[in-house]
Amino acid sequence: MPEDWGRALAIVAHPDDLEYGAAAAVAEWTDAGRDIAYLLVTRGEAGIDTLPPEESARVREGEQIAGAAVVGVDSVTFLGHRDGVIEEGPALRRDLTAAIRAHRPELLITINHHETWDRDSRDWNTPDHRVVGRAVLDAAGDAGNRWIFPEQLSADGAEPWGGVRWVAVAGSPLPTHARAVGERSLRRAVASLAEHRAYISALSDLEPLAYAQELNAMVTEAAAPRFGGRPCVPFELFPR
């Protein structure tokens, strides 16, 4: 992965999306002094079958803020689009473009926009992930064009931001790059995912910490043979 950058914005659909694999890389980067902010398109209100949506949203927002803090991220924003039915189109791109213009990142991080999770499997990806991933790739260009969503510039005094140099897609079935991760970052990534206690408890009979350890080991060790034999977080990198 490129390392000559100072600021990143991670944009994903749900609380927990970044903790399912990317958090160990985020921990490496924040330890190195990089500025990373999180933007969640939804509040995760449709994610826990046993909780009503508003209660789920409250719980999952708290879990996301706690999980982000473990890997050194203290800026976490929720856009409030409806969980499970995020609509593709200009409204979503407008919100993402505004955030990119405000944060002015060199690197965008997002979640898998492809139909499946693995090139050798048929595990279907969710519509929210696909929609948000594609919208991030589009908004990376929108942010630098003053004639796209120009009302943001006149209303807020913002300037276009054409400084996004890469979009890194976590969880892609077509990884091109990877960030090696050490033991400290792996431990922090496990702890970050384990903060999603209510969500994990609704998904699995495993205790959240054990679940997080198993998941992170699977992600970082599966990519190692392709990227020098070290535990790493793989990304599909789109240069701009």
Side-chain angles (χ1 to χ4, degrees), residues 31 46 60 63 109 122 141 150 157 168 233 236:
D31 266 358
R60 298 195 71 198
E63 290 182 342
I109 304 164
R122 307 309 297 163
V233 174
E236 183 178 6

Short mmCIF file of all heavy atoms in Angstrom, two decimals, residues 31 46 60 63 109 122 141 150 157 168 233 236:
data_model
loop_
_atom_site.label_atom_id
_atom_site.label_comp_id
_atom_site.label_asym_id
_atom_site.label_seq_id
_atom_site.Cartn_x
_atom_site.Cartn_y
_atom_site.Cartn_z
N ASP A 31 -0.97 4.63 14.41
CA ASP A 31 0.27 4.56 15.18
C ASP A 31 1.40 5.34 14.51
O ASP A 31 2.30 5.85 15.19
CB ASP A 31 0.70 3.09 15.35
CG ASP A 31 0.21 2.49 16.66
OD1 ASP A 31 -0.43 3.21 17.45
OD2 ASP A 31 0.46 1.29 16.89
N ALA A 46 -30.98 -1.64 11.33
CA ALA A 46 -31.62 -2.88 10.89
C ALA A 46 -30.75 -4.10 11.14
O ALA A 46 -31.05 -5.19 10.65
CB ALA A 46 -31.96 -2.80 9.39
N ARG A 60 -25.59 0.53 18.45
CA ARG A 60 -24.54 0.33 17.45
C ARG A 60 -23.70 1.58 17.22
O ARG A 60 -22.51 1.48 16.92
CB ARG A 60 -25.15 -0.18 16.15
CG ARG A 60 -25.85 -1.53 16.34
CD ARG A 60 -26.12 -2.22 15.04
NE ARG A 60 -24.88 -2.69 14.45
CZ ARG A 60 -24.75 -3.03 13.17
NH1 ARG A 60 -25.77 -2.90 12.35
NH2 ARG A 60 -23.60 -3.46 12.71
N GLU A 63 -21.22 1.34 20.02
CA GLU A 63 -20.22 0.31 19.77
C GLU A 63 -19.22 0.76 18.71
O GLU A 63 -18.01 0.49 18.82
CB GLU A 63 -20.92 -0.98 19.33
CG GLU A 63 -21.69 -1.65 20.46
CD GLU A 63 -22.35 -2.96 20.07
OE1 GLU A 63 -22.53 -3.20 18.85
OE2 GLU A 63 -22.70 -3.74 20.98
N ILE A 109 -11.01 5.05 2.10
CA ILE A 109 -11.13 3.62 2.40
C ILE A 109 -12.61 3.29 2.38
O ILE A 109 -13.43 4.03 2.94
CB ILE A 109 -10.54 3.30 3.79
CG1 ILE A 109 -9.07 3.75 3.88
CG2 ILE A 109 -10.66 1.81 4.10
CD1 ILE A 109 -8.53 3.81 5.29
N ARG A 122 -19.69 -18.05 -4.15
CA ARG A 122 -20.87 -17.34 -4.61
C ARG A 122 -21.56 -16.65 -3.43
O ARG A 122 -22.77 -16.43 -3.45
CB ARG A 122 -21.85 -18.31 -5.29
CG ARG A 122 -21.25 -19.14 -6.41
CD ARG A 122 -20.50 -18.31 -7.43
NE ARG A 122 -21.36 -17.37 -8.12
CZ ARG A 122 -20.90 -16.33 -8.81
NH1 ARG A 122 -19.61 -16.06 -8.87
NH2 ARG A 122 -21.76 -15.54 -9.43
N GLY A 141 -14.21 11.49 -7.45
CA GLY A 141 -14.08 12.42 -8.56
C GLY A 141 -15.01 13.61 -8.44
O GLY A 141 -14.64 14.74 -8.78
N PRO A 150 -22.45 22.21 -6.82
CA PRO A 150 -21.82 23.52 -6.56
C PRO A 150 -22.43 24.25 -5.37
O PRO A 150 -21.80 25.14 -4.80
CB PRO A 150 -22.05 24.28 -7.87
CG PRO A 150 -23.27 23.65 -8.46
CD PRO A 150 -23.17 22.20 -8.10
N GLY A 157 -18.73 27.86 1.77
CA GLY A 157 -17.44 28.46 1.55
C GLY A 157 -16.35 27.43 1.31
O GLY A 157 -15.16 27.75 1.38
N ALA A 168 -9.11 2.82 -1.52
CA ALA A 168 -8.73 1.47 -1.10
C ALA A 168 -9.98 0.71 -0.67
O ALA A 168 -10.67 1.14 0.26
CB ALA A 168 -7.72 1.53 0.04
N VAL A 233 -3.55 -6.85 5.75
CA VAL A 233 -4.91 -6.50 5.36
C VAL A 233 -4.88 -6.19 3.86
O VAL A 233 -4.19 -5.26 3.43
CB VAL A 233 -5.42 -5.28 6.14
CG1 VAL A 233 -6.78 -4.83 5.62
CG2 VAL A 233 -5.48 -5.58 7.62
N GLU A 236 -8.21 -3.67 -2.61
CA GLU A 236 -8.19 -3.39 -4.03
C GLU A 236 -8.00 -1.88 -4.17
O GLU A 236 -8.84 -1.11 -3.70
CB GLU A 236 -9.48 -3.83 -4.72
CG GLU A 236 -9.47 -3.61 -6.21
CD GLU A 236 -10.74 -4.10 -6.91
OE1 GLU A 236 -11.69 -4.50 -6.20
OE2 GLU A 236 -10.78 -4.06 -8.16
#
